[in-house]
Each structure stands twice: as structure tokens, then as C-alpha cells.
PDB file of all heavy atoms in Angstrom:
ATOM      1  N   ARG A 147     163.986 143.821  88.617  1.00 97.00           N
ATOM      2  CA  ARG A 147     165.397 143.650  88.307  1.00 97.00           C
ATOM      3  C   ARG A 147     166.099 142.884  89.361  1.00 97.00           C
ATOM      4  O   ARG A 147     166.841 141.915  88.975  1.00 97.00           O
ATOM      5  CB  ARG A 147     166.027 145.126  88.228  1.00 97.00           C
ATOM      6  CG  ARG A 147     167.530 145.077  87.941  1.00 97.00           C
ATOM      7  CD  ARG A 147     167.810 144.663  86.484  1.00 97.00           C
ATOM      8  NE  ARG A 147     169.218 144.682  86.223  1.00 97.00           N
ATOM      9  CZ  ARG A 147     169.777 144.615  85.098  1.00 97.00           C
ATOM     10  NH1 ARG A 147     168.928 144.359  84.036  1.00 97.00           N
ATOM     11  NH2 ARG A 147     171.018 144.459  84.779  1.00 97.00           N
ATOM     12  N   GLN A 148     165.944 143.188  90.623  1.00 98.00           N
ATOM     13  CA  GLN A 148     166.545 142.470  91.668  1.00 98.00           C
ATOM     14  C   GLN A 148     166.191 140.912  91.671  1.00 98.00           C
ATOM     15  O   GLN A 148     167.015 140.033  91.764  1.00 98.00           O
ATOM     16  CB  GLN A 148     166.018 143.031  93.017  1.00 98.00           C
ATOM     17  CG  GLN A 148     166.555 142.354  94.251  1.00 98.00           C
ATOM     18  CD  GLN A 148     166.071 143.075  95.385  1.00 98.00           C
ATOM     19  OE1 GLN A 148     166.485 144.227  95.709  1.00 98.00           O
ATOM     20  NE2 GLN A 148     165.191 142.395  96.228  1.00 98.00           N
ATOM     21  N   LYS A 149     164.787 140.644  91.471  1.00 98.00           N
ATOM     22  CA  LYS A 149     164.414 139.313  91.405  1.00 98.00           C
ATOM     23  C   LYS A 149     164.904 138.528  90.221  1.00 98.00           C
ATOM     24  O   LYS A 149     165.156 137.252  90.277  1.00 98.00           O
ATOM     25  CB  LYS A 149     162.869 139.290  91.437  1.00 98.00           C
ATOM     26  CG  LYS A 149     162.280 139.736  92.887  1.00 98.00           C
ATOM     27  CD  LYS A 149     160.758 139.735  92.826  1.00 98.00           C
ATOM     28  CE  LYS A 149     160.201 140.242  94.164  1.00 98.00           C
ATOM     29  NZ  LYS A 149     158.796 140.393  94.224  1.00 98.00           N
ATOM     30  N   ALA A 150     165.025 139.186  89.073  1.00 98.00           N
ATOM     31  CA  ALA A 150     165.551 138.588  87.907  1.00 98.00           C
ATOM     32  C   ALA A 150     166.961 138.066  88.169  1.00 98.00           C
ATOM     33  O   ALA A 150     167.413 136.984  87.773  1.00 98.00           O
ATOM     34  CB  ALA A 150     165.529 139.548  86.789  1.00 98.00           C
ATOM     35  N   VAL A 151     167.816 138.809  88.827  1.00 98.00           N
ATOM     36  CA  VAL A 151     169.216 138.524  89.158  1.00 98.00           C
ATOM     37  C   VAL A 151     169.170 137.265  90.099  1.00 98.00           C
ATOM     38  O   VAL A 151     169.912 136.326  89.923  1.00 98.00           O
ATOM     39  CB  VAL A 151     169.982 139.711  89.864  1.00 98.00           C
ATOM     40  CG1 VAL A 151     171.152 139.190  90.352  1.00 98.00           C
ATOM     41  CG2 VAL A 151     170.049 140.760  88.872  1.00 98.00           C
ATOM     42  N   TYR A 152     168.274 137.358  91.151  1.00 98.00           N
ATOM     43  CA  TYR A 152     168.097 136.254  92.048  1.00 98.00           C
ATOM     44  C   TYR A 152     167.800 134.955  91.427  1.00 98.00           C
ATOM     45  O   TYR A 152     168.329 133.927  91.789  1.00 98.00           O
ATOM     46  CB  TYR A 152     167.119 136.640  93.162  1.00 98.00           C
ATOM     47  CG  TYR A 152     167.511 137.748  94.139  1.00 98.00           C
ATOM     48  CD1 TYR A 152     166.538 138.296  94.918  1.00 98.00           C
ATOM     49  CD2 TYR A 152     168.799 138.271  94.130  1.00 98.00           C
ATOM     50  CE1 TYR A 152     166.872 139.367  95.803  1.00 98.00           C
ATOM     51  CE2 TYR A 152     169.168 139.346  95.000  1.00 98.00           C
ATOM     52  CZ  TYR A 152     168.216 139.842  95.866  1.00 98.00           C
ATOM     53  OH  TYR A 152     168.538 140.845  96.626  1.00 98.00           O
ATOM     54  N   ILE A 153     166.779 135.026  90.544  1.00 98.00           N
ATOM     55  CA  ILE A 153     166.243 133.781  89.869  1.00 98.00           C
ATOM     56  C   ILE A 153     167.325 133.181  89.009  1.00 98.00           C
ATOM     57  O   ILE A 153     167.584 132.016  89.020  1.00 98.00           O
ATOM     58  CB  ILE A 153     165.018 134.115  89.045  1.00 98.00           C
ATOM     59  CG1 ILE A 153     163.792 134.353  90.040  1.00 98.00           C
ATOM     60  CG2 ILE A 153     164.589 132.920  88.141  1.00 98.00           C
ATOM     61  CD1 ILE A 153     162.705 135.002  89.418  1.00 98.00           C
ATOM     62  N   LYS A 154     168.004 133.930  88.199  1.00 98.00           N
ATOM     63  CA  LYS A 154     169.086 133.506  87.381  1.00 98.00           C
ATOM     64  C   LYS A 154     170.141 132.910  88.105  1.00 98.00           C
ATOM     65  O   LYS A 154     170.691 131.863  87.872  1.00 98.00           O
ATOM     66  CB  LYS A 154     169.555 134.572  86.419  1.00 98.00           C
ATOM     67  CG  LYS A 154     170.547 134.149  85.340  1.00 98.00           C
ATOM     68  CD  LYS A 154     170.944 135.221  84.326  1.00 98.00           C
ATOM     69  CE  LYS A 154     171.946 134.687  83.419  1.00 98.00           C
ATOM     70  NZ  LYS A 154     171.528 133.596  82.542  1.00 98.00           N
ATOM     71  N   GLU A 155     170.544 133.540  89.153  1.00 98.00           N
ATOM     72  CA  GLU A 155     171.656 133.013  90.100  1.00 98.00           C
ATOM     73  C   GLU A 155     171.226 131.663  90.714  1.00 98.00           C
ATOM     74  O   GLU A 155     171.986 130.790  90.739  1.00 98.00           O
ATOM     75  CB  GLU A 155     171.911 134.145  91.257  1.00 98.00           C
ATOM     76  CG  GLU A 155     172.796 133.674  92.366  1.00 98.00           C
ATOM     77  CD  GLU A 155     174.202 133.480  91.917  1.00 98.00           C
ATOM     78  OE1 GLU A 155     174.581 133.996  90.832  1.00 98.00           O
ATOM     79  OE2 GLU A 155     175.025 132.785  92.717  1.00 98.00           O
ATOM     80  N   ALA A 156     169.995 131.651  91.228  1.00 98.00           N
ATOM     81  CA  ALA A 156     169.553 130.407  91.868  1.00 98.00           C
ATOM     82  C   ALA A 156     169.538 129.200  90.852  1.00 98.00           C
ATOM     83  O   ALA A 156     170.015 128.033  91.080  1.00 98.00           O
ATOM     84  CB  ALA A 156     168.148 130.611  92.451  1.00 98.00           C
ATOM     85  N   LEU A 157     168.974 129.389  89.680  1.00 98.00           N
ATOM     86  CA  LEU A 157     168.893 128.376  88.733  1.00 98.00           C
ATOM     87  C   LEU A 157     170.285 127.913  88.281  1.00 98.00           C
ATOM     88  O   LEU A 157     170.548 126.642  88.154  1.00 98.00           O
ATOM     89  CB  LEU A 157     168.066 128.876  87.450  1.00 98.00           C
ATOM     90  CG  LEU A 157     166.511 129.201  87.690  1.00 98.00           C
ATOM     91  CD1 LEU A 157     165.987 129.682  86.394  1.00 98.00           C
ATOM     92  CD2 LEU A 157     165.877 127.940  88.230  1.00 98.00           C
ATOM     93  N   ASN A 158     171.189 128.803  88.050  1.00 98.00           N
ATOM     94  CA  ASN A 158     172.555 128.421  87.674  1.00 98.00           C
ATOM     95  C   ASN A 158     173.288 127.776  88.790  1.00 98.00           C
ATOM     96  O   ASN A 158     174.119 126.849  88.419  1.00 98.00           O
ATOM     97  CB  ASN A 158     173.331 129.661  87.116  1.00 98.00           C
ATOM     98  CG  ASN A 158     172.911 129.964  85.677  1.00 98.00           C
ATOM     99  OD1 ASN A 158     173.340 129.319  84.806  1.00 98.00           O
ATOM    100  ND2 ASN A 158     171.985 130.942  85.557  1.00 98.00           N
ATOM    101  N   ARG A 159     173.054 128.093  89.991  1.00 97.00           N
ATOM    102  CA  ARG A 159     173.704 127.398  91.163  1.00 97.00           C
ATOM    103  C   ARG A 159     173.299 126.065  91.192  1.00 97.00           C
ATOM    104  O   ARG A 159     174.062 124.995  91.451  1.00 97.00           O
ATOM    105  CB  ARG A 159     173.398 128.166  92.423  1.00 97.00           C
ATOM    106  CG  ARG A 159     174.251 129.326  92.745  1.00 97.00           C
ATOM    107  CD  ARG A 159     175.727 128.932  93.157  1.00 97.00           C
ATOM    108  NE  ARG A 159     175.741 128.086  94.267  1.00 97.00           N
ATOM    109  CZ  ARG A 159     175.575 128.411  95.608  1.00 97.00           C
ATOM    110  NH1 ARG A 159     175.436 129.693  95.830  1.00 97.00           N
ATOM    111  NH2 ARG A 159     175.592 127.567  96.543  1.00 97.00           N
ATOM    112  N   ILE A 160     171.955 125.852  90.920  1.00 98.00           N
ATOM    113  CA  ILE A 160     171.410 124.391  91.110  1.00 98.00           C
ATOM    114  C   ILE A 160     172.080 123.571  89.938  1.00 98.00           C
ATOM    115  O   ILE A 160     172.495 122.364  90.141  1.00 98.00           O
ATOM    116  CB  ILE A 160     169.858 124.458  91.004  1.00 98.00           C
ATOM    117  CG1 ILE A 160     169.271 125.213  92.168  1.00 98.00           C
ATOM    118  CG2 ILE A 160     169.290 122.983  90.838  1.00 98.00           C
ATOM    119  CD1 ILE A 160     167.830 125.527  92.069  1.00 98.00           C
ATOM    120  N   ILE A 161     172.123 124.107  88.743  1.00 97.00           N
ATOM    121  CA  ILE A 161     172.687 123.427  87.559  1.00 97.00           C
ATOM    122  C   ILE A 161     174.112 123.039  87.879  1.00 97.00           C
ATOM    123  O   ILE A 161     174.549 121.991  87.450  1.00 97.00           O
ATOM    124  CB  ILE A 161     172.406 124.247  86.299  1.00 97.00           C
ATOM    125  CG1 ILE A 161     170.925 124.252  85.861  1.00 97.00           C
ATOM    126  CG2 ILE A 161     173.190 123.665  85.146  1.00 97.00           C
ATOM    127  CD1 ILE A 161     170.574 125.166  84.726  1.00 97.00           C
ATOM    128  N   GLU A 162     174.856 124.086  88.305  1.00 96.00           N
ATOM    129  CA  GLU A 162     176.302 123.748  88.665  1.00 96.00           C
ATOM    130  C   GLU A 162     176.500 122.671  89.599  1.00 96.00           C
ATOM    131  O   GLU A 162     177.320 121.892  89.441  1.00 96.00           O
ATOM    132  CB  GLU A 162     176.925 125.139  89.172  1.00 96.00           C
ATOM    133  CG  GLU A 162     177.085 126.100  88.061  1.00 96.00           C
ATOM    134  CD  GLU A 162     177.504 127.564  88.769  1.00 96.00           C
ATOM    135  OE1 GLU A 162     177.805 127.562  89.975  1.00 96.00           O
ATOM    136  OE2 GLU A 162     177.371 128.520  88.010  1.00 96.00           O
ATOM    137  N   HIS A 163     175.558 122.652  90.564  1.00 95.00           N
ATOM    138  CA  HIS A 163     175.665 121.569  91.594  1.00 95.00           C
ATOM    139  C   HIS A 163     175.204 120.239  91.153  1.00 95.00           C
ATOM    140  O   HIS A 163     175.872 119.260  91.495  1.00 95.00           O
ATOM    141  CB  HIS A 163     174.874 122.033  92.880  1.00 95.00           C
ATOM    142  CG  HIS A 163     174.970 121.089  94.038  1.00 95.00           C
ATOM    143  ND1 HIS A 163     174.169 120.013  94.158  1.00 95.00           N
ATOM    144  CD2 HIS A 163     175.818 121.185  95.088  1.00 95.00           C
ATOM    145  CE1 HIS A 163     174.539 119.457  95.393  1.00 95.00           C
ATOM    146  NE2 HIS A 163     175.551 120.118  95.927  1.00 95.00           N
ATOM    147  N   GLN A 164     174.055 120.303  90.381  1.00 93.00           N
ATOM    148  CA  GLN A 164     173.458 118.947  90.055  1.00 93.00           C
ATOM    149  C   GLN A 164     173.606 118.532  88.573  1.00 93.00           C
ATOM    150  O   GLN A 164     173.407 117.391  88.312  1.00 93.00           O
ATOM    151  CB  GLN A 164     171.899 119.106  90.278  1.00 93.00           C
ATOM    152  CG  GLN A 164     171.453 118.980  91.750  1.00 93.00           C
ATOM    153  CD  GLN A 164     171.774 117.610  92.241  1.00 93.00           C
ATOM    154  OE1 GLN A 164     172.769 117.471  92.963  1.00 93.00           O
ATOM    155  NE2 GLN A 164     170.972 116.590  91.977  1.00 93.00           N
ATOM    156  N   GLY A 165     173.835 119.522  87.712  1.00 94.00           N
ATOM    157  CA  GLY A 165     173.897 119.179  86.332  1.00 94.00           C
ATOM    158  C   GLY A 165     172.512 119.327  85.688  1.00 94.00           C
ATOM    159  O   GLY A 165     172.483 119.173  84.465  1.00 94.00           O
ATOM    160  N   ASP A 166     171.560 119.552  86.445  1.00 95.00           N
ATOM    161  CA  ASP A 166     170.235 119.777  85.989  1.00 95.00           C
ATOM    162  C   ASP A 166     169.533 120.612  86.997  1.00 95.00           C
ATOM    163  O   ASP A 166     169.976 120.894  88.094  1.00 95.00           O
ATOM    164  CB  ASP A 166     169.526 118.514  85.620  1.00 95.00           C
ATOM    165  CG  ASP A 166     169.330 117.666  86.812  1.00 95.00           C
ATOM    166  OD1 ASP A 166     169.355 118.086  87.958  1.00 95.00           O
ATOM    167  OD2 ASP A 166     169.081 116.397  86.661  1.00 95.00           O
ATOM    168  N   LEU A 167     168.118 120.931  86.602  1.00 95.00           N
ATOM    169  CA  LEU A 167     167.375 121.742  87.584  1.00 95.00           C
ATOM    170  C   LEU A 167     166.623 120.858  88.567  1.00 95.00           C
ATOM    171  O   LEU A 167     165.302 120.702  88.412  1.00 95.00           O
ATOM    172  CB  LEU A 167     166.424 122.708  86.802  1.00 95.00           C
ATOM    173  CG  LEU A 167     167.097 123.957  86.381  1.00 95.00           C
ATOM    174  CD1 LEU A 167     166.034 124.852  85.573  1.00 95.00           C
ATOM    175  CD2 LEU A 167     167.629 124.784  87.502  1.00 95.00           C
ATOM    176  N   SER A 168     167.298 120.217  89.448  1.00 95.00           N
ATOM    177  CA  SER A 168     166.660 119.397  90.490  1.00 95.00           C
ATOM    178  C   SER A 168     167.206 119.743  91.836  1.00 95.00           C
ATOM    179  O   SER A 168     168.380 119.901  92.123  1.00 95.00           O
ATOM    180  CB  SER A 168     166.986 117.909  90.212  1.00 95.00           C
ATOM    181  OG  SER A 168     166.516 117.113  91.235  1.00 95.00           O
ATOM    182  N   LEU A 169     166.173 119.881  92.779  1.00 97.00           N
ATOM    183  CA  LEU A 169     166.510 120.125  94.189  1.00 97.00           C
ATOM    184  C   LEU A 169     166.311 118.964  95.015  1.00 97.00           C
ATOM    185  O   LEU A 169     166.320 119.018  96.215  1.00 97.00           O
ATOM    186  CB  LEU A 169     165.763 121.313  94.732  1.00 97.00           C
ATOM    187  CG  LEU A 169     166.336 122.719  94.325  1.00 97.00           C
ATOM    188  CD1 LEU A 169     165.277 123.809  94.838  1.00 97.00           C
ATOM    189  CD2 LEU A 169     167.664 122.998  94.935  1.00 97.00           C
ATOM    190  N   GLY A 170     166.053 117.798  94.363  1.00 95.00           N
ATOM    191  CA  GLY A 170     165.600 116.555  95.171  1.00 95.00           C
ATOM    192  C   GLY A 170     166.706 116.177  96.185  1.00 95.00           C
ATOM    193  O   GLY A 170     166.338 115.591  97.256  1.00 95.00           O
ATOM    194  N   PHE A 171     167.921 116.562  95.980  1.00 96.00           N
ATOM    195  CA  PHE A 171     169.051 116.182  96.865  1.00 96.00           C
ATOM    196  C   PHE A 171     168.860 116.730  98.247  1.00 96.00           C
ATOM    197  O   PHE A 171     169.366 116.145  99.196  1.00 96.00           O
ATOM    198  CB  PHE A 171     170.448 116.573  96.247  1.00 96.00           C
ATOM    199  CG  PHE A 171     170.647 118.028  96.201  1.00 96.00           C
ATOM    200  CD1 PHE A 171     171.329 118.677  97.181  1.00 96.00           C
ATOM    201  CD2 PHE A 171     170.189 118.669  95.116  1.00 96.00           C
ATOM    202  CE1 PHE A 171     171.455 119.971  97.179  1.00 96.00           C
ATOM    203  CE2 PHE A 171     170.407 120.045  95.005  1.00 96.00           C
ATOM    204  CZ  PHE A 171     171.037 120.744  95.987  1.00 96.00           C
ATOM    205  N   LEU A 172     168.147 117.832  98.327  1.00 97.00           N
ATOM    206  CA  LEU A 172     167.833 118.490  99.624  1.00 97.00           C
ATOM    207  C   LEU A 172     167.122 117.709 100.555  1.00 97.00           C
ATOM    208  O   LEU A 172     167.255 117.814 101.803  1.00 97.00           O
ATOM    209  CB  LEU A 172     167.333 119.880  99.429  1.00 97.00           C
ATOM    210  CG  LEU A 172     168.070 121.066  98.775  1.00 97.00           C
ATOM    211  CD1 LEU A 172     167.235 122.290  98.578  1.00 97.00           C
ATOM    212  CD2 LEU A 172     169.320 121.245  99.561  1.00 97.00           C
ATOM    213  N   GLN A 173     166.298 116.834 100.113  1.00 95.00           N
ATOM    214  CA  GLN A 173     165.394 115.989 100.934  1.00 95.00           C
ATOM    215  C   GLN A 173     166.334 114.978 101.753  1.00 95.00           C
ATOM    216  O   GLN A 173     165.829 114.417 102.815  1.00 95.00           O
ATOM    217  CB  GLN A 173     164.453 115.171 100.070  1.00 95.00           C
ATOM    218  CG  GLN A 173     163.299 114.632 100.855  1.00 95.00           C
ATOM    219  CD  GLN A 173     162.121 114.370  99.949  1.00 95.00           C
ATOM    220  OE1 GLN A 173     162.274 114.199  98.740  1.00 95.00           O
ATOM    221  NE2 GLN A 173     160.858 114.280 100.435  1.00 95.00           N
ATOM    222  N   ASP A 174     167.627 114.703 101.341  1.00 95.00           N
ATOM    223  CA  ASP A 174     168.403 113.766 102.079  1.00 95.00           C
ATOM    224  C   ASP A 174     169.308 114.490 103.018  1.00 95.00           C
ATOM    225  O   ASP A 174     169.967 113.772 103.738  1.00 95.00           O
ATOM    226  CB  ASP A 174     169.223 112.980 101.100  1.00 95.00           C
ATOM    227  CG  ASP A 174     168.462 112.122 100.118  1.00 95.00           C
ATOM    228  OD1 ASP A 174     167.440 111.655 100.525  1.00 95.00           O
ATOM    229  OD2 ASP A 174     168.743 112.019  98.841  1.00 95.00           O
ATOM    230  N   PHE A 175     169.274 115.829 103.072  1.00 97.00           N
ATOM    231  CA  PHE A 175     170.030 116.610 103.985  1.00 97.00           C
ATOM    232  C   PHE A 175     169.314 116.783 105.362  1.00 97.00           C
ATOM    233  O   PHE A 175     168.133 116.754 105.317  1.00 97.00           O
ATOM    234  CB  PHE A 175     170.355 117.983 103.377  1.00 97.00           C
ATOM    235  CG  PHE A 175     171.308 118.137 102.313  1.00 97.00           C
ATOM    236  CD1 PHE A 175     171.853 117.000 101.643  1.00 97.00           C
ATOM    237  CD2 PHE A 175     171.713 119.367 101.856  1.00 97.00           C
ATOM    238  CE1 PHE A 175     172.837 117.109 100.688  1.00 97.00           C
ATOM    239  CE2 PHE A 175     172.698 119.549 100.828  1.00 97.00           C
ATOM    240  CZ  PHE A 175     173.155 118.374 100.324  1.00 97.00           C
TER     241      PHE A 175
END
């Protein structure tokens, strides 16, 4: 239950930030 909440939260945060499911921008940080 806990991990399901975490996964959904993480995926939606990435989409909100990027518009898609990509974390490639972190490589430039």
C-alpha cells in the first residue's frame, strides 16, 4: 500500500515537471 502511493506520487511528479516520464534532465544537474 505504502509503495503504491510512493510510485504513483513519483510518476505524477515527473510528468508534472517534464510533461512525460523522463528523468534525463537530472543528468544536467
Side-chain angles (χ1 to χ4, degrees):
R147 178 70 180 188
Q148 176 179 295
K149 291 176 183 178
V151 171
Y152 292 166
I153 290 168
K154 186 173 176 66
E155 170 73 12
L157 296 178
N158 280 282
R159 277 289 302 280
I160 296 165
I161 291 171
E162 287 169 12
H163 185 274
Q164 280 296 101
D166 59 20
L167 276 179
S168 170
L169 281 174
F171 66 94
L172 291 177
Q173 199 160 22
D174 298 324
F175 282 10

